[in-house]
């Protein structure tokens, strides 16, 4: 307590030294006066009284110094002095300061900006109490049935069936709570206007398990999902309530139409909670047992795997113990389900029973964005870190050059008795100050960078809800960077600058040469480092650019230009199948009748949108072993789809309106399907069916089309079966493709009008040009290529500036030597060769050091590249050529100056 | 010593404290008065004494110090410790005499 109080008192005194000094002076004056008065009373003369009093008081300056020492923090005060001095010196050379601050600002800004996003995607934990207790459940291994998955590379292990969930929830002994969720897009109507919203359908214990409360009203409760159909209630996310309903509290207990079903708003979730899936922010939460469409969800079905589970460990139970604890229960549940798996041999059955439940840490929520954007972010972070290293090297180079100029000042101060430690401290304070100024500028750049990235992610459907705001961990990161950079570029020049031979420096003539050489050595090291880093960045930028080029030039097998796309989902508004089809037909007719619309088609699974659907197929003439065991993608389409998108028909015919729900069932297959299933025969006229071998082959193949990309730009084309949508069950939504004569966006309004003319409560979603849709697919590639390009260019320019600086400095230093050489008959070419030899060695060393680093980075980014390798001969050669060219450019001016040296002037130059 | 002086004298200015200490010690202790002021500041920062500007008996503006409650406690504590220490020392010195 006491020390704290004293520290505080001292700290306050830092800011009022002047008043303290005045007070002490007054006090001492009073003291003297009392003493003199006493002495006078004792009979001394005035002069004697004064003298005695002064002697008794002792050295005034010493008293003052002691007093100040006690009053404040002498160390801090001198640090403040250093800072003040540094500010004065920096202001005296505004050019140097501006360049240094700008360079650092760019470096620190880019790093902080990328880190802001990286922190949210890879590091930030869910804003709930004790996130470390949360676990995600996975059930990897073979199983039969329908699996809907949203995580990559898990084979759907994250999806469980509802009955399995109930058993796990009620019979486990290691979890405090086990919640389940699924994501859904819903049509939300309020006061007559309808729009689509992202919903999390969750079990009633979801909020309780997470420890999330309501801002107003209540969250969902276990009772809300106790029975199928249960409580028709809905909870809004705070941001949605704020932005869409203007934060209107009157909304509580009012009714919204969710997919045409009335549901009561019972509450608003606490601000800050944005679901458990970073990058996917739900706007509403609905009990999982609410039927959202006429297609019933699988609440009873053990073979419908669709919900994702998150649990909270009991206090003191570790993840490993919980996993072991769940094993017997999971095993017995699997034994119960075994009879449901049909047609398996003993090995397959054994594999099924041998499956283990796997728990993973859930503190950061579901790792979907982490998996899809994490590696890119880490690669970007590495690139910007390299930029920062180059920036630091540049500033260190500048400081060293400045140090050389300040040699006389430093020498003078050393000879006047300043200690080297104190001078070093002062120089480091100066660099920290530069670094801090750079950070201030950097924060502006960071804010811009992260906001742009967040906006970009939202625009291109990569992630929603990322924030560009710089929060406290990010600021901490920026502070750490500041300090690190200040030390990184400050220490070596400070040590170098203060190592001065006093005599020679003060004598000045020979000084520049003697101390210059050690300065030059440091600057050479810095140039080597810059070249190495620049090589890394330029190689990386080249690789990303080649990858983007490759991606952009993938032949999709269809013609996406002048096509407008949009999605309507009448099923979400409670349409039955007949009404849906009537609606689709009417819409097709209305839109084709629009002027400037050439043709229209539609598909159940939107194209190039990362969405696909598949099932097992059985075809005519298959061997019994293969029958029903092979898998193919499927899509339901409108008549005229292939001609509309210019997908060539190889054989047979397209679908027409005549292929309706009553007429014979037909299918069109793609080339890959034909090759895989009918290697030797003509498929047209053959029969096939979806599903296993039992039952009749109900569909006749009427055509074969050329392969085209279906779900993504980078996908491997797979066997695919098209059927007319009017012969498909449960077509809830179609994505329409409208080919137009001019700019497709000009018909956008007319399209909206056509939809609302048929049903004003149906929202139109994903309205954009088909080209834009395809563009979104390689948005990330574009972004990374652009950023890598910017950083690579920045790195190359900074490295060139470094080389230029070093060479210019060397030429200035060696003017005398050059003059002598020229006077002795050396010609200009020899001089240039002499200078460039040095630089060439530096570049070579930089390249040799840079190659392994580039190789390491290459390994990291290879997985992000499309049919390109980061570390390949052409890329490296290109990067080297670029660096060489820049070096030559950077050397040109100084070299020319060297050849223009007039021997007479040079010899007098000192 | 400063604390004790303030305890016995109440409100006092710097010079007064210095004189008083000198007098109490029977002029055995004689240091530069200047060293007094940093010590006073330290005690004030620790909260053992407080100070305010006032006017002395001969109408001179001066800074007056007085003991705070914490200072009184601290004084008692230090006095106790001192007595204890001297008592222990005394016992040692007394005990050694017969042996030597």
């Amino acid at each position: 307590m006491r020390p704290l109080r004293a520290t505080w008192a001292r700290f306050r005194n830092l800011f009022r030294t002047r008043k303290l000094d005045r007070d002490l002076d007054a006090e001492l004056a009073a003291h003297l006066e009392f003493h003199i008065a006493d002495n006078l009373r004792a009979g001394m003369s005035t002069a004697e009284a004064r003298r005695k009093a002064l002697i008794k008081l002792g050295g005034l300056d010493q008293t003052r110094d002691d007093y100040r020492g006690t009053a404040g923090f002498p160390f801090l005060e001198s640090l403040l002095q250093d800072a003040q001095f540094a500010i004065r010196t920096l202001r005296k050379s505004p050019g140097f300061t501006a360049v240094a601050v700008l360079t650092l600002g760019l470096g620190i800004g880019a790093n902080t900006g990328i880190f802001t996003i990286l922190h949210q995607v890879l590091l930030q934990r869910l804003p709930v109490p004790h996130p470390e207790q949360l676990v995600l459940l996975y059930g990897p291994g073979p199983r039969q049935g329908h699996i809907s998955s949203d995580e990559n590379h898990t084979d759907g292990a994250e999806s469980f069936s509802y009955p399995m969930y109930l058993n796990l929830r009620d019979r486990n002994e290691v979890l405090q709570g086990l919640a389940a969720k699924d994501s859904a897009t819903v049509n939300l109507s309020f006061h007559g206007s309808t729009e689509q919203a992202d919903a999390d359908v969750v079990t009633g214990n979801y909020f309780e398990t997470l420890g999330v409360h309501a801002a107003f009203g209540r969250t969902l409760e276990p009772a809300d999902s106790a029975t199928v159909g249960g409580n028709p209630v809905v909870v809004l996310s705070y941001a949605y309530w704020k932005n869409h309903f203007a934060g209107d509290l009157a909304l509580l207990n009012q009714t919204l139409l969710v997919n045409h079903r009335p549901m009561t708003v019972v509450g608003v979730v606490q601000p800050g909670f944005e679901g458990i899936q970073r990058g996917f922010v739900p706007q509403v939460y609905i009990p999982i047992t609410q039927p959202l469409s006429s297609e019933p969800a699988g609440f009873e079905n053990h073979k419908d795997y669709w919900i994702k589970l998150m649990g909270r460990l009991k206090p003191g139970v570790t993840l490993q113990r919980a996993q072991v604890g769940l094993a017997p229960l999971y095993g017995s549940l699997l034994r119960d389900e075994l009879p449901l798996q049909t047609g398996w041999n003993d090995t397959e059955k054994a594999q099924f029973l041998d499956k283990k439940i796997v728990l993973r840490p859930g503190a950061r929520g579901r790792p979907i964005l982490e998996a899809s954007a994490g590696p890119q972010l880490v690669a970007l972070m590495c690139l910007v870190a390299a930029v920062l290293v180059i920036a630091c090297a540049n500033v260190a180079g500048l400081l060293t050059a400045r140090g050389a100029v300040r040699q006389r000042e430093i020498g003078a101060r050393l000879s006047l008795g300043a200690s080297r430690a104190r001078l070093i401290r002062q120089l480091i304070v100066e660099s920290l100050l530069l670094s801090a100024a750079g950070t201030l500028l950097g924060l502006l750049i960071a804010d811009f960078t992260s906001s742009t990235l967040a906006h970009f992610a939202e625009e291109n459907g990569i992630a929603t809800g990322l924030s560009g705001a710089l929060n406290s961990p990010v600021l901490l990161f920026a502070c750490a960077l500041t300090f690190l950079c200040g030390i990184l570029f400050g220490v070596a020049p400070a040590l170098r600058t203060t190592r001065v031979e006093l005599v020679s420096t003060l004598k000045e003539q020979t000084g520049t040469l003697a101390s210059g050489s050690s300065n030059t050595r440091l600057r050479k090291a810095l140039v080597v480092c810059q070249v190495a880093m620049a090589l890394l960045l330029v190689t990386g930028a080249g690789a990303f650019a080649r990858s983007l080029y490759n991606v952009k030039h993938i032949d999709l097998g269809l013609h996406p230009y002048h096509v407008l796309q949009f999605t309507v989902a009448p099923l979400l508004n409670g349409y039955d199948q007949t009404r849906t089809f009537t609606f689709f037909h009417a819409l097709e007719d209305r839109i084709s009748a629009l002027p400037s619309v050439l043709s229209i088609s539609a598909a159940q699974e939107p194209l190039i949108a990362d969405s696909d659907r598949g099932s097992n197929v059985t075809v005519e003439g298959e061997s019994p072993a293969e029958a029903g065991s092979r898998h193919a993608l499927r899509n339901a389409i409108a008549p005229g789809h292939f001609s509309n998108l210019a997908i060539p028909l190889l054989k047979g015919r397209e679908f027409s309106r005549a292929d309706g729900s009553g007429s014979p069932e037909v299918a069109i297959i793609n080339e890959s399907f034909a090759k895989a299933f009918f290697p030797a025969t003509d498929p047209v006229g053959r029969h096939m069916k979806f599903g296993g071998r039992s039952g009749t082959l109900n569909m006749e193949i009427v055509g074969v089309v050329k392969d085209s990309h279906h779900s993504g730009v980078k996908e491997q084309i797979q066997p695919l079966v098209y059927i007319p949508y009017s012969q498909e069950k449960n077509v809830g939504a179609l994505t329409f493709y409208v080919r137009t004569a001019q700019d497709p966006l000009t018909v956008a309004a007319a399209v909206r009008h056509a939809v609302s003319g048929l049903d004003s409560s149906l929202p139109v979603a994903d309205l954009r040009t088909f080209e834009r849709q395809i563009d979104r697919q390689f948005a990330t590639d574009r972004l990374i290529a652009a950023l890598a390009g910017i950083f690579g260019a920045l790195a190359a320019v900074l490295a060139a500036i470094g080389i230029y600086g070093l060479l210019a400095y060397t030429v200035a230093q060696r003017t005398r030597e050059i003059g002598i050489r020229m006077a002795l008959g050396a010609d200009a070419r020899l001089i240039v060769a002499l200078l460039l030899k040095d630089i060439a060695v530096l570049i070579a060393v930089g390249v040799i050091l840079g190659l392994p680093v580039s190789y390491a980075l290459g390994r990291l980014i290879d997985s992000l590249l499309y049919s390109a390798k980061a570390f390949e001969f052409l890329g490296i050669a290109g990067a080297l050529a670029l660096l060489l060219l820049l070096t030559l450019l950077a050397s040109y001016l100084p070299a020319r100056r060297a050849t223009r040296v007039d021997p007479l002037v040079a010899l007098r130059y000192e | 010593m400063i604390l004790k002086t303030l305890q016995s004298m109440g409100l006092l200015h710097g010079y007064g404290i210095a004189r008083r200490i000198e007098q109490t010690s029977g002029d055995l202790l004689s240091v530069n008065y200047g060293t007094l002021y940093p010590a006073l500041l330290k005690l004030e920062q620790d909260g053992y004494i407080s100070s305010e500007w006032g006017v002395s008996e001969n109408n001179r503006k001066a800074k007056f110090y007085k003991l705070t409650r914490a200072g009184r406690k601290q004084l008692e504590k230090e006095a106790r410790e001192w007595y204890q220490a001297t008592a222990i020392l005394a016992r040692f010195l007394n005990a050694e005499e017969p042996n030597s």
Side-chain angles (χ1 to χ4, degrees):
Chain A
M1 191 57 217
R2 296 260 157 239
L4 209 75
R5 184 195 171 114
T7 312
W8 169 237
R10 281 167 169 232
F11 184 74
R12 268 191 323 172
N13 287 343
L14 272 182
F15 304 101
R16 41 175 214 187
T17 42
R18 215 163 277 159
K19 180 178 184 304
L20 271 176
D21 282 354
R22 257 204 328 271
D23 276 9
L24 180 64
D25 283 346
E27 198 172 2
L28 290 178
H31 177 106
L32 272 179
E33 229 171 276
F34 289 135
H35 201 165
I36 291 168
D38 267 3
N39 283 353
L40 284 176
R41 262 198 298 278
M44 294 184 201
S45 70
T46 321
E48 180 71 4
R50 188 170 173 75
R51 206 176 68 87
K52 278 267 164 62
L54 276 171
I55 290 173
K56 190 66 198 162
L57 188 57
L60 272 180
D61 283 330
Q62 203 194 335
T63 302
R64 280 203 192 102
D65 219 40
D66 280 355
Y67 192 81
R68 277 189 210 134
T70 315
F73 300 101
F75 177 77
L76 256 183
E77 268 164 45
S78 65
L79 218 56
L80 276 180
Q81 274 172 14
D82 282 351
Q84 275 166 358
F85 181 76
I87 290 174
R88 274 206 304 276
T89 37
L90 287 177
R91 269 170 57 182
K92 261 191 249 162
S93 40
F96 160 80
T97 310
V99 171
V101 168
L102 192 70
T103 314
L104 287 171
L106 280 174
I108 293 176
N111 274 275
T112 312
I114 304 274
F115 180 77
T116 307
I117 302 295
L118 181 122
H119 172 251
Q120 291 173 64
V121 173
L122 294 180
L123 303 174
Q124 205 167 45
R125 309 211 286 179
L126 293 177
V128 302
H130 294 290
E132 73 283 353
Q133 290 176 342
L134 296 175
V135 289
L136 297 166
L137 279 70
Y138 294 84
R143 55 190 163 171
Q144 293 178 353
H146 180 258
I147 302 166
S148 71
S149 159
D150 60 1
E151 275 185 56
N152 283 332
H153 314 301
T154 59
D155 275 334
E158 78 279 13
S159 297
F160 287 81
S161 70
Y162 197 73
M164 172 69 88
Y165 158 69
L166 291 182
N167 276 314
L168 287 173
R169 183 190 69 188
D170 298 336
R171 290 163 59 185
N172 84 78
E173 280 158 6
V174 289
L175 302 173
Q176 298 180 46
L178 180 63
K181 67 148 267 184
D182 190 26
S183 309
T185 305
V186 295
N187 285 356
L188 210 78
S189 321
F190 184 64
H191 283 332
S193 79
T194 307
E195 58 180 30
Q196 288 205 335
D198 294 319
D200 263 7
V201 291
V202 300
T203 52
N205 63 352
Y206 175 82
F207 291 103
E208 187 185 274
T209 305
L210 285 168
V212 170
H213 303 286
F216 307 103
R218 65 170 178 93
T219 59
L220 298 179
E221 290 162 1
D224 292 326
S225 70
T227 55
V228 173
N231 286 345
V233 293
V234 53
V235 169
L236 306 182
S237 87
Y238 192 86
Y240 190 61
W241 171 71
K242 201 88 190 162
N243 300 330
H244 261 74
F245 297 102
D248 185 5
L249 273 179
L251 197 69
L252 282 184
N253 299 320
Q254 292 221 37
T255 303
L256 295 178
L257 289 179
V258 178
N259 289 354
H260 239 61
R261 286 156 209 274
M263 294 192 186
T264 311
V265 178
V266 291
V268 175
V269 180
Q270 71 184 47
F273 179 73
E274 297 182 326
I276 57 169
Q277 200 165 309
R278 179 76 54 199
F280 178 93
V281 181
Q283 287 147 350
V284 295
Y285 301 86
I286 301 168
I288 200 163
T289 46
Q290 281 302 305
L292 287 176
S293 68
S294 47
E295 188 178 0
F299 293 110
E300 314 282 323
N301 189 347
H302 288 259
K303 288 166 80 175
D304 189 356
Y305 304 93
W306 59 290
I307 52 175
K308 287 80 185 170
L309 310 190
M310 181 179 248
R312 185 181 279 281
L313 298 172
K314 282 187 177 162
V317 175
T318 63
L319 187 129
Q320 287 76 15
R321 260 190 56 200
Q323 191 165 311
V324 172
L326 281 171
L329 172 61
Y330 189 62
S332 83
L333 293 173
L334 288 177
R335 273 195 297 283
D336 294 345
E337 288 187 352
L338 186 63
L340 300 171
Q341 319 292 319
T342 51
W344 268 356
N345 59 30
D346 288 345
T347 337
E348 284 166 326
K349 282 181 185 167
Q351 277 174 351
F352 180 79
L353 286 179
D354 206 34
K355 292 196 297 180
K356 294 273 175 295
I357 204 159
V358 174
L359 301 190
R360 301 216 178 114
R364 296 195 304 267
R366 305 193 59 222
I368 295 175
L369 189 61
E370 187 178 316
S372 67
Q376 284 90 330
L377 280 170
V378 171
L380 272 184
M381 199 73 225
C382 289
L383 292 183
V384 286
V387 171
L388 187 59
V389 170
I390 297 182
C392 283
N394 248 28
V395 175
L398 285 174
L399 278 176
T400 319
R402 217 164 104 85
V405 176
R406 281 169 72 178
Q407 208 85 100
R408 295 240 300 152
E409 173 206 332
I410 304 278
R413 285 166 65 188
L414 278 175
S415 55
L416 286 177
S419 75
R420 183 163 174 231
R422 179 69 204 267
L423 278 180
I424 290 175
R425 201 178 84 190
Q426 206 248 298
L427 289 172
I428 289 178
V429 164
E430 199 177 301
S431 16
L432 283 176
L433 214 65
L434 273 180
S435 178
T439 306
L440 284 185
L441 176 69
L443 286 181
L444 292 179
I445 297 174
D447 192 57
F448 173 76
T449 315
S450 54
S451 306
T452 311
L453 282 176
H455 181 72
F456 181 87
E458 184 121 22
E459 277 291 282
N460 289 287
I462 298 167
T464 59
L466 291 182
S467 148
L470 311 172
N471 52 14
S472 46
V474 168
L475 291 178
L476 208 68
F477 173 82
C479 285
L481 267 190
T482 310
F483 196 72
L484 194 74
C485 291
I487 299 295
L488 202 65
F489 68 71
V491 167
L495 290 179
R496 203 54 74 157
T497 307
T498 52
R499 192 186 302 155
V500 172
E501 285 168 54
L502 280 186
V503 182
S504 65
T505 312
L506 290 177
K507 272 203 288 184
E508 179 191 21
Q509 278 102 330
T510 50
T512 44
L513 256 183
S515 60
S517 68
S518 76
N519 269 325
T520 315
R521 217 173 306 135
L522 177 63
R523 297 193 67 186
K524 280 181 177 170
L526 292 171
V527 165
V528 165
C529 157
Q530 283 178 331
V531 169
M533 287 294 138
L535 178 69
L536 172 88
L537 280 161
V538 173
T539 322
F544 281 121
R546 267 177 291 137
S547 165
L548 178 65
Y549 180 87
N550 293 342
V551 171
K552 275 192 154 177
H553 286 80
I554 293 171
D555 180 12
L556 296 176
L558 47 77
H559 193 71
Y561 310 106
H562 286 290
V563 173
L564 187 75
Q565 66 153 58
F566 65 93
T567 306
V568 239
L571 186 75
L572 297 187
N573 266 19
Y575 280 50
D576 62 15
Q577 202 62 81
T578 330
R579 253 184 93 203
T580 304
F581 288 155
T582 318
F583 173 83
F584 284 151
H585 285 310
L587 187 60
E588 277 166 34
D589 292 342
R590 274 195 180 214
I591 291 177
S592 341
L594 289 173
S596 86
V597 168
L598 301 176
S599 53
I600 180 169
S601 72
Q604 184 180 25
E605 296 299 323
L607 302 181
I608 322 291
D610 286 329
S611 143
D612 62 32
R613 189 163 162 245
S615 56
N616 287 4
V617 290
T618 311
V619 304
E620 197 180 328
E622 252 179 328
S623 70
E626 277 183 325
S629 69
R630 287 185 287 172
H631 186 91
L633 297 178
R634 60 192 280 184
N635 202 353
I637 56 172
H641 182 69
F642 301 116
S643 57
N644 186 37
L645 294 181
I647 300 170
L649 188 68
L650 298 176
K651 272 178 202 153
R653 63 167 176 95
E654 277 215 49
F655 299 134
S656 71
R657 279 263 171 104
D659 301 309
S661 38
S663 38
E665 292 178 74
V666 288
I668 294 176
I669 58 176
N670 71 354
E671 232 180 322
S672 297
F673 191 95
K675 276 188 192 137
F677 290 83
F678 301 99
T681 48
D682 181 359
V684 175
R686 298 281 189 139
H687 289 80
M688 63 169 291
K689 70 181 285 276
F690 290 122
R693 68 195 89 140
S694 54
T696 52
L697 299 173
N698 57 338
M699 301 186 296
E700 184 189 335
I701 297 168
V702 296
V704 179
V705 289
K706 212 166 157 21
D707 279 344
S708 64
H709 280 247
H710 187 247
S711 69
V713 170
K714 296 183 197 171
E715 72 177 354
Q716 288 289 328
I717 292 181
Q718 293 177 53
L720 173 61
V721 184
Y722 298 93
I723 61 169
Y725 74 75
S726 40
Q727 292 183 352
E728 172 69 286
K729 286 168 293 208
N730 298 319
V731 179
L734 281 185
T735 300
F736 288 85
Y737 296 90
V738 184
R739 182 170 291 280
T740 58
Q742 340 95 341
D743 181 3
L745 285 175
T746 53
V747 299
V751 160
R752 276 186 193 282
H753 189 74
V755 175
S756 66
L758 288 168
D759 183 344
S760 64
S761 70
L762 265 185
V764 173
D766 299 329
L767 180 72
R768 57 178 78 97
T769 66
F770 192 27
E771 260 186 284
R772 172 86 186 99
Q773 173 65 34
I774 294 167
D775 238 35
R776 280 162 66 108
Q777 279 275 313
F778 45 80
T780 320
D781 300 71
R782 228 162 359 108
L783 176 73
I784 293 195
L787 287 177
I790 293 172
F791 297 146
L794 197 65
V797 168
L798 285 176
I801 292 176
I803 292 169
Y804 168 82
L806 175 66
L807 206 59
Y809 179 70
T810 325
V811 168
Q813 233 179 37
R814 291 169 75 173
T815 303
R816 229 152 82 109
E817 178 199 335
I818 293 169
I820 293 173
R821 281 173 188 268
M822 289 184 87
L824 291 177
D827 73 350
R829 254 183 313 165
L830 215 67
I831 301 291
V832 171
L834 185 79
L835 289 170
L836 289 191
K837 200 183 73 191
D838 268 11
I839 293 293
V841 170
L842 293 185
I843 306 282
V845 175
V847 167
I848 290 167
L849 290 179
L851 281 179
V853 188
S854 308
Y855 178 72
L857 183 82
R859 297 295 298 274
L860 181 74
I861 63 176
D862 265 349
S863 61
L864 308 176
L865 300 176
Y866 183 82
S867 65
K869 281 259 174 289
F871 199 80
E872 60 173 19
F873 176 74
L874 218 68
I876 299 285
L880 283 181
L882 184 74
L883 282 184
L884 217 60
L885 185 73
L886 273 172
T887 310
L888 286 180
L889 278 177
S891 323
Y892 176 72
L893 274 181
R896 202 180 62 163
R897 198 175 314 140
T899 60
R900 300 267 166 92
V901 166
D902 180 347
L904 271 181
V905 177
L907 289 176
R908 266 189 257 122
Y909 173 93
E910 272 160 1
Chain B
M1 280 188 296
I2 295 173
L3 293 182
K4 181 68 198 166
T5 311
L6 283 175
Q7 190 193 26
S8 49
M9 301 294 289
L11 214 59
L12 211 57
H13 50 67
Y15 174 69
I17 297 172
R19 288 289 305 172
R20 177 75 196 173
I21 288 176
E22 226 168 45
Q23 280 165 9
T24 315
S25 72
D27 286 334
L28 282 175
L29 272 177
S30 165
V31 288
N32 277 342
Y33 290 165
T35 55
L36 181 70
Y37 288 97
L40 279 171
L41 182 65
K42 178 93 184 55
L43 286 173
E44 195 180 348
Q45 282 174 351
D46 285 340
Y48 296 138
I49 58 175
S50 64
S51 71
E52 61 190 36
W53 288 92
V55 178
S56 74
E57 55 272 32
N58 44 9
N59 260 342
R60 181 71 177 78
K61 197 167 158 258
K63 203 172 184 180
F64 286 87
Y65 295 88
K66 74 166 188 264
L67 205 60
T68 62
R69 190 204 291 262
R72 197 153 291 134
K73 267 202 216 129
Q74 179 70 8
L75 178 63
E76 278 164 21
K77 189 172 147 235
E78 297 221 341
R80 207 167 45 238
E81 279 169 8
W82 170 255
Y83 282 131
Q84 231 164 29
T86 45
I88 291 168
L89 261 182
R91 238 179 272 165
F92 267 97
L93 293 174
N94 291 339
E96 272 176 33
E97 267 170 27
N99 293 346
S100 59

